[in-house]
Amino acid sequence: MSDRIPSPALLRVRRLDRDLPLPARAHPGDAGVDLYSTTDAHLRPGHRQLVGTGIAIALPVGTVGLIHPRSGLAARAGLSIVNTPGTVDAGYRGEIKVCLINLDPTEPIAIKRGDRIAQLIVQRVELPELEEVDELDDTSRGVGGYGSSGGHAAL
Ligand SMILES: O=c1ccn([C@H]2C[C@H](O)[C@@H](COP(=O)(O)OP(=O)(O)OP(=O)(O)O)O2)c(=O)[nH]1
Ligand SMILES: [Mg+2]
């Protein structure tokens, strides 16, 4: 893997399944590149399944690939992703897979090979070295979190 940080304007994609089209954005300027399922899948309510997308990519160092659900399938059928957004590391050269989950309480979801089941979003990411310290600087929030600012009971 090159240490150089090239422009993320170009993303190298390998089609591991040549019978599926190259993934694409539905419209120019869309953030997400729609990913196809390589397999049929039958998801019972509450069940999950890891499905392949048939592609491998070479993300430039300094970027990350995020695998997000598609909103249409989420709203219509309750299809989501267990680990949303999935993280694809720049050095990963294996097949991108998606851990789909059916969040509908009663209806199964049928996925067909070739369905667009998720979307890949590429973002720049900071890669700081970690420095261990004994104290952190003070802030107005301090250690308050999980509802500490009001509106509901803090944890
Ligand atoms: O939705 C996803 C999430 C991850 N991956 C691949 C690419 C990523 O670089 C690798 C590892 O992902 P992650 O770091 O989230 O998983 P882990 O459980 O920490 O595995 P590892 O020990 O391999 O890092 O798995 C996918 O194909 N799809
Ligand atoms: Mg990991």
Side-chain angles (χ1 to χ4, degrees):
M1 188 171 57
S2 161
D3 286 337
R4 205 166 46 93
I5 301 187
S7 156
L10 206 65
L11 178 63
R12 294 203 162 83
V13 183
R14 254 189 88 204
R15 257 190 307 158
L16 308 171
D17 185 332
R18 307 286 291 188
D19 295 328
L20 290 175
L22 189 70
R25 295 181 171 83
H27 299 281
D30 281 2
V33 174
D34 291 334
L35 302 177
Y36 300 103
S37 173
T38 56
T39 53
D40 293 345
H42 186 81
L43 293 163
R44 285 173 288 146
H47 284 243
R48 65 181 185 270
Q49 187 173 330
L50 194 63
V51 304
T53 65
I55 61 156
I57 61 177
L59 287 163
V61 175
T63 69
V64 62
L66 299 176
I67 310 295
H68 286 264
R70 295 187 63 216
S71 58
L73 282 170
R76 275 202 308 279
L79 185 69
S80 191
I81 296 172
V82 174
N83 56 322
T84 180
T87 304
V88 180
D89 298 291
Y92 182 67
R93 296 292 177 269
E95 180 182 15
I96 294 180
K97 296 182 181 175
V98 182
C99 194
L100 294 174
I101 185 164
N102 178 359
L103 296 181
D104 191 275
T106 56
E107 296 301 314
I109 300 175
I111 303 290
K112 293 265 169 275
R113 172 178 159 80
D115 283 353
R116 292 174 295 150
I117 39 90
Q119 55 187 322
L120 167 71
I121 293 176
V122 178
Q123 291 188 335
R124 289 182 185 271
V125 67
E126 301 293 333
L127 301 172
E129 297 290 327
L130 301 192
E131 177 193 24
E132 186 177 9
V133 296
D134 291 326
E135 298 291 337
L136 300 172
D137 60 320
D138 286 331
T139 67
S140 63
R141 174 173 284 275
V143 298
Y146 304 96
S148 68
S149 65
H152 48 81
L155 295 176

